[in-house]
Amino acid sequence: MRYQTGTPIGRGGMGEVYEVWDPVLERPVALKVLSRFDPETEARMLREARAQVRVEHPNVCKVYEVGKTEDGRPFIAMQRIFGEPLDEAVRDLGLEETVGLVRTVAEAVQAAHAVGLIHRDLKPSNILVEEREDGERVPFVVDFGLAREAEARGLTTTGETLGTPGYLSPEQAAGLPDLDRRTDVYSLGVVLYELLAGRLPFSGSTPLELLAAVLRDEPRELRKGAPQVPVDLATIVMTCLERDPDRRYGSARALADDLGRFLKGEEIRARPIGPGERFRRRVRRHPVVSAFAAAALLALIALAALAGWVRYQANEQARLAQRFGEQAQRLESLLRLTYLTPLHDIRRERAEVEEELAQLEAELPAPGELGRSAGLTAVGRARLRLGRVEEAREALQQAWNEGARTPELTVALGRAWTELYEAALERAERVPDPELRDHQRRRARNELGGPARTYLDSVDVTEAQLQAHEVVELEGLMALLEGDLATAEAKGSEAARLSPWYYEGHLLAAEAAFLVVLTQDAAGAQAEALEALERSEASFSAATEVAPSDPEPRLGKCRGAIRELRFNFDRQPPDPSPYDRALSSCGAALRADPELGRAYALRAEAAWAAARLLVARGESPLELLDSAEEDARRALEIDPADAAAWGHLGNALWVRANYLADRSGEPLPVYRRAAEALEEGLRHAPEDPFLLLSLGHVLSSSGHHTGIVGGDPAEFWQRADAVYRRALAAPGLRSSRLYNGLCILNSDWGYHLLTLGEPAVERLEEAEQACRMALEIRPGYLAAFNSLGLVRWSQAELFRAQGADPTLALAEAIELFEQVLAEHPGRPSTSVNLANLLTLQGRLALERGEDPSALLARAQEVIENAREPFPADYALIRGQAQLVRARLTVRRGGTVEKTWQRALEIGTEAYEKGRSLPSLLLLAEIHRRRAGWRLDTAPELRAPVTRDLDAAASWIERVFERSPEQPDALAERAHVEHLRSRLATDPADRQRWLTTARATAQLAVSKQPGLQAALEGVLEPQN
């Protein structure tokens, strides 16, 4: 490059401007160097150079050369203008000199128009005024960076607003696609207005408020703020500022000519607005009054000529359609501009749009009146942009039903149905069961996706005047609706490439990739699901870069982080780190809109999902659960009918209750609150499978805990059974999780009946059938294998209770638990189950005269995984194992006192952590067996034996307080009574205790025949 970098003289949107010296031609040059290098920006710079070089006019800044610097940055070498911006240059000038400068600028702009270019960014800073040696001031038009071909379609796309807010024409501010030369005439009028009045014709404290005023209001009359301005000159300015382009000067030449006439004192061509026109415009702004006036006028016309009436109807219909369409476009553009600005609280801008929408709704013609269809279409489009999708669909459907079939309406209806479809898919995401999720997605595809496809498929892209990126996006939406996710994702990315500001393309790509995540997850392809999740997050991030203040892409990133949290349930140890990303993304969405209920609901979901992971890691979830409940309640304050928020509140309470249940807390009140929250959610969404599944789990867990602590769980389990079956009654639904829930419920119910000595066979058969149905639906479903292991364990206990051999059932249960742990090493709940069975096998081995040491050692190894997540179960299993070790030591004749004491310590810990019936029975058995050992080895030490028997009797009574006549407790009481008979010195007392013991043992055996062998010594007749 022959230029040498010199002094910085300015900075623009694309780069820096330097004054450099051209040593070849020996002249100063202004060098604009691109600072941000990317293909789009470079193309824009080249477009500016090519546009500017085509304009041959002494008052248009000349372009000398285009090239690249030594470090590869593109540059434009231009004429160096030693001047200042127009608004600064005229401070010491009179009226005629100021008008003369603007006239010259208009002639320069006309030269651009003559070669087919529209500047689109005329403002004082883009008009430099250079003072020559003779004192003459010469203006130069610079910066054609936004210039476009006047006749080219598709370069300015619908909704795209470029330029500087205060100087934009209404059609440019609204993002209308068909801009022509008159948009530059409008901007020249704003420039002249500002120079004469010292202010812009519209006011606003922010660029967005200024844009809103341009779109909504009539400009201030120039002479009201600047009465010194001559009437003719004010007329010229206000003609430039007409909202209707047809009422402005037809060209910059016409404007320049009228300014010339004014300077010469000749009659100008423009005419001021008369009282009649002012009245007509006021009427247009107040359509209710206009409707009455139109009705009267139409009646007169009808009397005069039917043909005139028909003609009027057609013209009025077209006028109203144009008017309502422009209003809709304006509101859409205001919201788009709000989203494209840096992240900020958008509530004020949304409130302004809502206020305008309310005015538009109030102005809707009554049914049967002209323009109603167009008005409904405009209302529907605005509601759609505000996110009030169902209300938008209703308005648009009304317009369709009233006979409107415009391309704009067809596109809007298709988009409304598509957004409803996507919202239904988002609700389906919350469902953890893949079959339930697929069922929801199928319903959404049939009930919502079908109408969306019908409308979008009927869109004539040529008639609808869609731009290239809009056509590609519609193709992507159709692919999404048809389930072709790869094409949908590709089309979304292509739309974004065609028009980088059109971030809806990124959103389409992100949503399509997210659906791939769900599909791959359901198929068990987690690696592919995670890869798709990365693509989805990248597309959401790209959308956020373009539209920092739109909450939607940020909510999408939050949903992705929550999905990753769910993936982490299967990791060991579980990883809750995606929660921070969810918190950040949802938090950013709330900075954009602090009253966005969906963001609070998603944040609640993220918190309780992360809390579950903390529980699995053995860490306290309480802080996260507090956050989840707080956010769910905030969402419900905003929308009390938000079924998802009720679901997240219920699940947060469920996780809390489960945590309390394993730590000797009081979980039942929390379970009750969880069920109430889920039932309230179902009141608003009666068939929501997520809520039904969650409610079934809460009720099932309530019953499980109630049974463990000795209450009657039947009511909870009956309700849970009804809820699960209600969910399964949905047509065509087969759900592995629902059947697994039924399996666990019936397994728990059967085991509970078994402990009471009541018939349990039917419940256990139902449990096994439900588990096998879950595995038929989803082979390899680990949770169902774990549940089936519980069923086989309960069936083994049933065999024992009946006096049959449980060996085979126990072996099958152990095999199932080991199968789960092979796939998911360290799964805490399965570790508890396997350790329980190994300890039980150790006890049975001891009773057969075998050495249980290896089984107990393995049980200890397995249970270590559950030390933190399930402290009560951990202590209970270790206490049971210690009891077996004590009995083994007794059998071997070793010193056992310390072993008994250790068993009591662990048993007490188990009771304090869980306060369950099994822990009470464990303590009773430890005391009873130690009493028997002491009586056998040192009968003279009566006091310790008595203390142990009293302690055992006390623990047994506490069992009976909760569960009267429980067979295992009856067996323990029979043993205690039998030991008291041995301790008695009086024969009568001895016989009384023997009789009581035998009666108690007989009652226990009548309830559980399998206790016969254990009570044989008590049952045999005594002499």
Side-chain angles (χ1 to χ4, degrees):
M1 185 180 75
R2 71 172 184 265
Y3 306 108
Q4 297 178 354
T5 302
T7 308
I9 57 174
R11 176 182 293 273
M14 293 185 294
E16 299 83 19
V17 182
Y18 300 89
E19 179 184 341
V20 299
W21 181 255
D22 183 349
V24 177
L25 298 178
E26 297 185 344
R27 63 182 176 184
V29 172
L31 200 73
K32 179 186 282 191
V33 182
L34 193 66
S35 59
R36 187 186 64 210
F37 181 68
D38 61 72
E40 172 63 21
T41 311
E42 182 178 7
R44 180 175 162 185
M45 175 177 261
L46 288 172
R47 187 167 61 237
E48 173 185 358
R50 290 168 183 155
Q52 206 160 328
V53 78
R54 290 165 54 188
V55 185
E56 291 291 340
H57 194 277
N59 298 100
V60 173
C61 177
K62 293 180 175 60
V63 170
Y64 300 141
E65 181 186 6
V66 175
K68 290 192 176 182
T69 63
E70 292 177 357
D71 59 359
R73 290 189 297 164
F75 71 78
I76 303 175
M78 298 179 291
Q79 177 184 358
R80 173 66 168 106
I81 298 169
F82 295 91
E84 56 186 346
L86 178 62
D87 53 346
E88 297 178 16
V90 301
R91 285 175 182 168
D92 59 346
L93 297 183
L95 178 67
E96 291 187 358
E97 289 178 285
T98 299
V99 173
L101 287 174
V102 174
R103 179 193 178 197
T104 303
V105 170
E107 291 172 341
V109 171
Q110 175 62 31
H113 291 175
V115 296
L117 294 178
I118 309 167
H119 190 285
R120 301 202 311 163
D121 197 20
L122 289 169
K123 56 187 176 182
S125 61
N126 280 342
I127 302 168
L128 300 181
V129 179
E130 187 177 73
E131 186 174 1
R132 300 285 169 83
E133 293 180 0
D134 59 0
E136 181 187 5
R137 287 180 170 85
V138 181
F140 291 89
V141 179
V142 301
D143 198 351
F144 278 71
L146 299 184
R148 288 290 189 270
E149 299 283 351
E151 302 302 327
R153 295 186 55 83
L155 292 174
T156 305
T157 51
T158 304
E160 181 181 18
T161 301
L162 296 170
T164 307
Y167 302 89
L168 298 178
S169 66
E171 63 270 23
Q172 190 176 359
L176 296 178
D178 296 326
L179 300 180
D180 60 23
R181 299 168 179 84
R182 292 170 295 182
T183 195
D184 282 348
V185 171
Y186 185 96
S187 299
L188 286 169
V190 176
V191 169
L192 187 51
Y193 187 113
E194 183 180 18
L195 298 179
L196 296 172
R199 58 178 297 174
L200 292 170
F202 300 97
S203 60
S205 57
T206 67
L208 286 173
E209 288 183 1
L210 202 54
L211 271 175
V214 171
L215 288 163
R216 179 184 58 231
D217 302 333
E218 293 287 344
R220 262 184 234 92
E221 287 292 333
L222 175 57
R223 281 174 52 81
K224 286 186 178 180
Q228 76 281 3
V229 176
V231 173
D232 279 358
L233 183 56
T235 299
I236 291 172
V237 173
M238 298 310 292
T239 299
C240 293
L241 298 182
E242 285 283 352
R243 297 183 61 80
D244 183 352
D246 290 338
R247 300 182 65 85
R248 298 177 205 150
Y249 290 104
S251 66
R253 165 59 63 196
L255 169 60
D257 289 346
D258 237 8
L259 288 173
R261 294 185 188 95
F262 167 76
L263 290 171
K264 294 175 183 177
E266 298 174 359
E267 183 179 359
I268 65 172
R269 296 287 174 83
R271 286 290 174 263
I273 299 172
E277 175 61 18
R278 288 197 185 93
F279 175 76
R280 188 180 71 81
R281 293 187 183 189
R282 282 197 298 272
V283 168
R284 281 170 55 190
R285 291 198 297 272
H286 301 284
V288 175
V289 176
S290 178
F292 287 107
L297 179 60
L298 290 175
L300 292 173
I301 294 174
L303 291 173
L306 181 59
W309 161 241
V310 172
R311 205 162 39 247
Y312 174 81
Q313 274 194 317
N315 292 337
E316 186 68 3
Q317 186 79 18
R319 185 186 69 78
L320 289 171
Q322 180 179 358
R323 173 186 160 227
F324 282 126
E326 288 176 354
Q327 286 177 295
Q329 184 69 57
R330 183 173 68 250
L331 295 181
E332 290 173 341
S333 296
L334 278 174
L335 280 171
R336 170 172 286 283
L337 289 166
T338 297
Y339 295 151
L340 295 179
T341 54
L343 179 60
H344 69 290
D345 187 339
I346 63 173
R347 285 179 295 177
R348 185 175 65 174
E349 291 95 329
R350 283 182 63 91
E352 290 178 3
V353 174
E354 290 277 11
E355 185 178 348
E356 283 207 42
L357 175 58
Q359 178 66 28
L360 177 60
E361 291 170 339
E363 295 174 359
L364 274 177
E369 291 186 357
L370 288 175
R372 180 168 173 80
S373 297
L376 286 168
T377 301
V379 166
R381 286 171 59 187
R383 287 176 178 174
L384 189 60
R385 193 63 184 169
L386 280 165
R388 293 159 51 183
V389 184
E390 179 54 34
E391 295 175 37
R393 187 204 62 78
E394 290 175 358
L396 295 168
Q397 202 70 56
Q398 283 184 49
W400 184 274
N401 294 341
E402 291 192 12
R405 296 291 190 272
T406 64
E408 293 80 11
L409 174 58
T410 308
V411 171
L413 256 177
R415 288 191 181 280
W417 280 104
T418 301
E419 289 196 26
L420 289 173
Y421 171 63
E422 290 176 339
L425 294 182
E426 183 179 340
R427 290 193 297 273
E429 289 171 27
R430 297 183 285 116
V431 182
D433 186 324
E435 295 85 29
L436 274 175
R437 191 163 62 236
D438 286 344
H439 176 72
Q440 288 293 89
R441 289 166 62 187
R442 285 195 302 274
R443 283 189 59 184
R445 189 157 51 245
N446 293 333
E447 297 173 10
L448 303 171
R453 287 193 300 274
T454 299
Y455 287 111
L456 291 182
D457 194 44
S458 66
V459 173
D460 184 326
V461 295
T462 302
E463 186 181 354
Q465 298 183 3
L466 297 178
Q467 307 303 316
H469 65 274
E470 292 175 311
V471 173
V472 171
E473 189 218 7
L474 283 184
E475 292 171 350
L477 288 175
M478 284 296 294
L480 181 78
L481 293 168
E482 291 167 358
D484 185 354
L485 301 180
T487 298
E489 187 177 352
K491 291 290 184 180
S493 299
E494 183 183 350
R497 283 196 301 273
L498 287 172
S499 188
W501 63 269
Y502 193 70
Y503 66 98
E504 286 88 340
H506 292 303
L507 289 178
L508 172 58
E511 291 293 347
F514 200 91
L515 290 176
V516 173
V517 174
L518 301 183
T519 303
Q520 296 293 351
D521 180 32
Q526 196 171 93
E528 291 79 0
L530 287 170
E531 182 183 342
L533 191 59
E534 289 180 5
R535 298 199 309 273
S536 176
E537 183 170 353
S539 292
F540 278 129
S541 296
T544 297
E545 289 179 10
V546 179
S549 289
D550 188 345
E552 284 304 317
R554 299 185 185 277
L555 293 181
K557 294 179 69 174
C558 186
R559 286 160 46 207
I562 293 171
R563 178 54 52 182
E564 190 170 350
L565 274 175
R566 295 192 180 282
F567 287 154
N568 287 344
F569 287 156
D570 292 331
R571 292 183 178 174
Q572 196 57 237
D575 178 15
S577 63
Y579 171 69
D580 292 333
R581 297 204 306 279
L583 196 65
S584 173
S585 296
C586 275
L590 286 169
R591 286 200 296 278
D593 186 354
E595 296 177 4
L596 188 60
R598 282 176 58 218
Y600 287 115
L602 281 172
R603 205 161 68 174
E605 181 180 7
W608 73 257
R612 283 186 63 191
L613 295 176
L614 290 185
V615 171
R617 290 164 63 97
E619 301 174 23
S620 171
L622 297 180
E623 184 176 346
L624 278 179
L625 292 174
D626 288 342
S627 297
E629 291 173 35
E630 179 184 356
D631 278 331
R633 289 193 172 93
R634 292 182 73 176
L636 291 168
E637 287 173 7
I638 295 167
D639 181 7
D642 186 346
W646 284 113
H648 299 320
L649 177 59
N651 274 283
L653 290 166
W654 178 45
V655 175
R656 183 187 295 274
N658 288 339
Y659 183 74
L660 292 174
D662 205 54
R663 286 159 178 81
S664 68
E666 294 294 334
L668 284 177
V670 186
Y671 280 130
R672 183 177 62 253
R673 285 161 49 208
E676 288 170 354
L678 293 165
E679 285 166 343
E680 180 63 21
L682 284 165
R683 194 170 69 82
H684 300 288
E687 302 306 320
D688 189 309
F690 167 68
L691 297 175
L692 289 169
L693 183 68
S694 298
L695 179 59
H697 289 349
V698 168
L699 294 171
S700 184
S701 299
S702 303
H704 177 78
H705 178 76
T706 301
I708 287 292
V709 299
D712 183 3
E715 180 185 353
F716 290 114
W717 282 334
Q718 287 167 355
R719 290 171 60 196
D721 183 82
V723 168
Y724 284 138
R725 295 187 187 281
R726 172 181 163 189
L728 285 167
L733 175 62
R734 299 174 76 241
S735 164
S736 58
R737 280 185 183 261
L738 284 171
Y739 279 113
N740 187 56
L742 275 173
C743 175
I744 294 172
L745 183 154
N746 282 287
S747 178
D748 283 349
W749 204 339
Y751 185 80
H752 176 72
L753 293 173
L754 184 62
T755 62
L756 299 178
E758 298 178 11
V761 174
E762 183 178 344
R763 285 291 169 191
L764 294 178
E765 286 178 349
E766 286 192 27
E768 182 173 356
Q769 182 180 2
C771 264
R772 297 202 182 279
M773 179 63 74
L775 288 169
E776 177 184 318
I777 295 169
R778 196 186 339 169
Y781 182 23
L782 293 182
F785 281 116
N786 184 75
S787 302
L788 187 57
L790 291 173
V791 175
R792 298 301 286 149
W793 176 8
S794 296
Q795 289 170 335
E797 294 287 4
L798 176 62
F799 295 149
R800 288 182 66 209
Q802 294 171 339
D805 184 3
T807 303
L808 180 59
L810 283 175
E812 289 179 357
I814 288 174
E815 183 180 352
L816 286 163
F817 292 142
E818 287 178 334
Q819 182 177 349
V820 173
L821 289 174
E823 293 290 330
H824 189 172
R827 180 180 170 128
S829 59
T830 307
S831 296
V832 167
N833 296 334
L834 180 57
N836 252 312
L837 285 186
L838 291 170
T839 304
L840 175 58
Q841 277 197 322
R843 178 173 184 147
L844 296 176
L846 180 69
E847 290 170 358
R848 292 194 301 269
E850 300 169 3
D851 187 350
S853 299
L855 290 167
L856 298 179
R858 187 170 171 223
Q860 178 64 40
E861 178 185 352
V862 170
I863 196 61
E864 283 302 316
N865 292 321
R867 177 195 290 266
E868 299 299 334
F870 300 108
D873 289 307
Y874 176 79
L876 180 64
I877 292 169
R878 291 180 67 239
Q880 292 168 339
Q882 189 67 19
L883 174 58
V884 175
R885 290 190 185 94
R887 292 174 60 193
L888 177 63
T889 305
V890 168
R891 192 177 72 184
R892 290 175 173 174
T895 304
V896 76
E897 184 62 45
K898 290 184 179 180
T899 310
W900 286 123
Q901 188 58 38
R902 182 58 178 153
L904 279 175
E905 291 171 358
I906 299 173
T908 302
E909 180 186 355
Y911 171 71
E912 290 173 350
K913 289 185 179 297
R915 300 187 181 275
S916 63
L917 289 179
S919 64
L920 291 172
L921 287 168
L922 172 64
L923 286 169
E925 185 176 1
I926 292 170
H927 279 290
R928 186 261 300 177
R929 287 190 181 277
R930 187 169 70 170
W933 165 72
R934 284 175 169 164
L935 198 56
D936 288 339
T937 56
E940 69 280 3
L941 300 176
R942 301 175 62 84
V945 174
T946 301
R947 283 198 299 271
D948 269 332
L949 292 177
D950 289 344
S954 174
W955 290 117
I956 292 166
E957 287 305 314
R958 295 177 74 169
V959 173
F960 286 142
E961 288 172 5
R962 302 185 188 184
S963 180
E965 297 188 349
Q966 188 184 83
D968 287 335
L970 287 170
E972 280 302 317
R973 174 184 277 181
H975 282 300
V976 169
E977 291 166 346
H978 189 261
L979 289 173
R980 288 192 189 278
S981 73
R982 290 177 57 192
L983 198 63
T985 56
D986 183 272
D989 287 341
R990 182 170 181 272
Q991 188 58 45
R992 178 171 56 83
W993 280 117
L994 284 172
T995 302
T996 302
R998 188 176 184 190
T1000 304
Q1002 287 172 338
L1003 179 58
V1005 170
S1006 70
K1007 289 177 172 292
Q1008 280 195 8
L1011 292 171
Q1012 175 84 35
L1015 292 169
E1016 186 175 345
V1018 180
L1019 289 167
E1020 63 185 17
Q1022 302 292 324
N1023 295 323

